Amino acid sequence: LADVIDEDDAWIGGDTVVVQTGDVVDRGPYDREILDLLERLSHEAEAAGGAVRRVLGNHEYRNATGQMGFVPMRGFWAFFDFWDDYVDDAALAAYPDYQRPRRGAFRPGGPYAELLSTYDFVLELDGTVYVHGSFLPAHAAYGIDAMNAGMRAFLRGDAAAPPSIATDAASPMYSRKFGYDVDDDGCALARSALDAVGASRMVIGHTVQAAGVNAVCGGRVVRIDTGMSAYYKDGPVEILEITPAGARVLGEGGAHVLDASSTGVEL
């Protein structure tokens, strides 16, 4: 839809930068294949002068911390090539043997946790903050670089825990502060957080928008999670495109300008 890959899933996007805002895993039985696809595309894009930037979602974090209640059986089978590495791991003995390869691969320091450590917990790019849940003034005060560094160290196995601000209910990956109806006080919080880091807008996922991609707070908060996974919500396939000329939404029925007129309730 965005003309960044061809029918063989090869990168054709040139210097385009793609940002994916999290929750690739736990959304069907092929999550490993999607993780691997995004990783391959990131290298192909870099070679062409572009990029595929990935933001950590709460479900990626859940897998790294052993919370795998949303993983279907095939999601465990897909990691059987790690069988010899983890099936006899004493630290995983409490789990059924078929689960151990995936659990080991996602455990901090494991190969897929290492992959996740290359993701951004919060990404600021060209005046836009990309985050899975919501970006709040407390996050700006803590510092984007500090949060990213702490989460990367945890996923690599170099720290016992991530920064506490990164994992509580109001964290950047769990908060739904701007995902539902947003009143004037909420918009004031968004402006405060963005102004603190010199950004013009935030782009968030996490909370499914049944009506599709939309904006609130005068366009300073853009919600892009349409629940498009057929396995999950089977919502509309839509993409937010940001260029120097402005922002628009690409959909299967065509493109339309992003409505940035709202200053309060959900569009």
Side-chain angles (χ1 to χ4, degrees):
L1 186 62
D3 292 325
V4 295
I5 60 173
D6 63 16
E7 63 274 8
D8 296 317
D9 293 340
W11 181 262
I12 57 170
D15 62 0
T16 301
V17 177
V18 171
V19 180
Q20 199 283 332
T21 54
D23 280 4
V24 166
V25 300
D26 295 346
R27 293 295 180 257
Y30 300 100
D31 53 4
R32 181 179 179 180
E33 287 86 343
I34 300 170
L35 289 169
D36 291 347
L37 171 65
L38 291 173
E39 175 67 3
R40 173 173 62 77
L41 289 173
S42 72
H43 295 290
E44 294 179 9
E46 183 178 14
V52 175
R53 302 293 296 269
R54 291 150 292 173
V55 173
L56 196 72
N58 63 298
H59 280 268
E60 283 80 25
Y61 176 77
R62 285 175 60 89
N63 274 251
T65 54
Q67 303 173 70
M68 296 193 177
F70 290 91
V71 179
M73 185 66 75
R74 192 198 176 281
F76 288 108
W77 293 347
F79 286 81
F80 270 21
D81 54 318
F82 292 106
W83 179 273
D84 291 343
D85 298 300
Y86 297 113
V87 71
D88 295 323
D89 190 324
L92 299 171
Y95 302 106
D97 57 5
Y98 76 89
Q99 292 188 8
R100 294 172 198 166
R102 181 180 176 120
R103 289 182 176 277
F106 274 101
R107 184 174 59 193
Y112 274 79
E114 289 273 1
L115 175 62
L116 295 180
S117 76
T118 68
Y119 289 25
D120 294 288
F121 187 56
V122 179
L123 170 64
E124 192 281 322
L125 181 65
D126 296 333
T128 297
V129 172
Y130 298 88
V131 65
H132 183 64
S134 295
F135 186 66
L136 302 172
H139 307 148
Y142 192 93
I144 292 175
D145 289 345
M147 285 190 293
N148 281 338
M151 185 61 78
R152 292 189 209 283
F154 169 68
L155 292 169
R156 290 194 303 262
D158 296 335
S164 59
I165 196 171
T167 60
D168 65 21
S171 84
M173 65 182 166
Y174 279 110
S175 173
R176 299 186 190 272
K177 182 65 178 179
F178 306 125
Y180 298 116
D181 289 356
V182 186
D183 59 17
D184 289 342
D185 290 340
C187 287
L189 279 178
R191 288 193 298 272
S192 177
L194 291 168
D195 290 349
V197 296
S200 60
R201 69 168 72 85
M202 73 177 76
V203 174
I204 65 174
H206 194 42
T207 304
V208 173
Q209 307 294 307
V213 175
N214 63 81
V216 291
C217 302
R220 300 202 73 178
V221 178
V222 185
R223 291 95 68 92
I224 66 168
D225 190 341
T226 66
M228 70 172 69
S229 167
Y231 185 88
Y232 183 51
K233 296 288 189 180
D234 201 20
V237 177
E238 293 186 342
I239 301 160
L240 175 68
E241 181 186 66
I242 300 173
T243 71
R248 65 175 183 164
V249 179
L250 307 180
E252 293 175 302
H256 63 271
V257 175
L258 179 68
D259 185 348
S261 62
S262 177
T263 57
V265 298
E266 182 177 15
L267 295 173

